[in-house]
Amino acid sequence: MKIAEQVTFGAGLLDRAAELRSDNTGLLRLAETARVLPVWRGKPMVERISDRQIDLAYLTLSHNEVCARRDRLVFLGRDRVGPLFTVDMSDCQPNGDAPDPSEFVDPTWQQLPGTPDTQGFAELRNIMAQLTPIEAEAAATARAILEWHRIHGFCANCGAHSLPTQAGWQRTCPDCGRSHFPRTDPVVIMLITHGNAVLVGRNAQWPAGMFSLLAGFLEPGETVEAATRREVFEETGVRVGQVDYLSSQPWPYPSSLMIGTRGLATSTDITIDPNELEQAIWLSREDMLQVFAGQNPDVSPARKGSIAHFLLSNWLADRLD
């Protein structure tokens, strides 16, 4: 797709400045005046500018809560303004409602004491489409790298507690010397079409009526094309022939790379795997246009900002080339 990199989180505008990651002294000097993006339990700190605009909100190392966690700083890179860091503040106690684990997407808002009322921690999936492309990329990068540190604190080789190195982009075991690096899990997400219709499905845990494109993890030794065909057949019994690449999206839940493909179905009969899907249906282009317009009482589209929404909207607009 000519507009593939317009997908949310996929702008590629952040200068990651990897050459600076081993310069501890230089990075400490940068950190003294740099902007730091706080993240609380996976939620970046943002500022509500208006009902339609949300920006990331930054602190500096001089802030007490940041300074107390300076050993957790991760260097994200540089944007047009200057260097960016992030820090995990999940152990602090902000004001606001407690997150409701029963909610599909956390709608609550938490505020760090001493910050303006317009600033707080918000679920990235709720605000991702309102951020600028580079801020969305920075927020997704911060969430993914901090989550990796949270769940990979021990050496996979010997079990000892590992330590962050390379400005937060590596963990090193002090016992056996093994180095560990952030992982990315590849996922195929498939726009499967047959003539004028597209195949969509829903998981039982999703909000009522929400349908999206089928998706699944790649397996070792498998190509993107083979994974597309396998996943579609396993979940719906539909056979797929030609497969083409469309676009990709970093998806920090927790660390996936969504690889968008288009597949041409060679069969249409659906037999769902109930362990994977609650329902799968074919929708015509006209039906999907009604869904996107909010005129279908039984079907709602994937969340705006997701690659599923991006691919479907561009399929409707005939912009997949």
Side-chain angles (χ1 to χ4, degrees), residues 198-215 231-232 234-238 268-283 296-300:
V198 65
L199 180 63
V200 292
R202 61 168 279 103
N203 186 289
Q205 297 178 348
W206 292 353
M210 191 180 100
F211 281 76
S212 184
L213 300 179
L214 307 184
E231 282 290 338
V232 174
E234 287 178 355
E235 294 184 3
T236 66
V238 171
T268 56
D269 290 343
I270 294 175
T271 304
I272 66 166
D273 177 354
N275 295 316
E276 296 283 347
L277 297 175
E278 180 183 67
Q279 191 177 359
I281 55 176
W282 289 99
L283 288 177
N296 188 315
D298 301 316
V299 180
S300 59

Side-chain angles (χ1 to χ4, degrees), residues 23 29 132 289:
D23 182 6
R29 285 198 299 267
T132 65
L289 281 169

Side-chain angles (χ1 to χ4, degrees), residues 241-253:
Q242 180 180 332
V243 174
D244 298 299
Y245 169 78
L246 292 175
S247 179
S248 64
Q249 180 183 47
W251 189 247
Y253 297 95

Side-chain angles (χ1 to χ4, degrees), residues 24-99:
N24 293 331
T25 302
L27 283 172
L28 285 175
R29 285 198 299 267
L30 281 179
E32 293 295 333
T33 56
R35 292 160 297 151
V36 180
L37 176 64
V39 178
W40 183 78
R41 300 186 185 180
K43 301 168 71 171
M45 189 172 177
V46 300
E47 182 166 9
R48 288 174 173 156
I49 306 300
S50 67
D51 290 341
R52 295 186 178 182
Q53 182 182 354
I54 288 182
D55 294 343
L56 294 183
Y58 303 100
L59 300 176
T60 63
L61 195 58
S62 61
H63 192 282
N64 290 338
E65 296 287 359
V66 177
C67 188
R69 298 166 177 84
R70 62 186 301 155
D71 60 324
R72 303 182 193 173
L73 287 175
V74 175
F75 177 56
L76 294 179
R78 296 176 294 210
D79 63 7
R80 291 182 179 179
V81 178
L84 286 173
F85 289 77
T86 188
V87 65
D88 187 356
M89 303 185 72
S90 298
D91 58 345
C92 77
Q93 298 298 320
N95 300 321
D97 298 327

Side-chain angles (χ1 to χ4, degrees), residues 147 168-169 317:
E147 181 66 5
W169 289 91

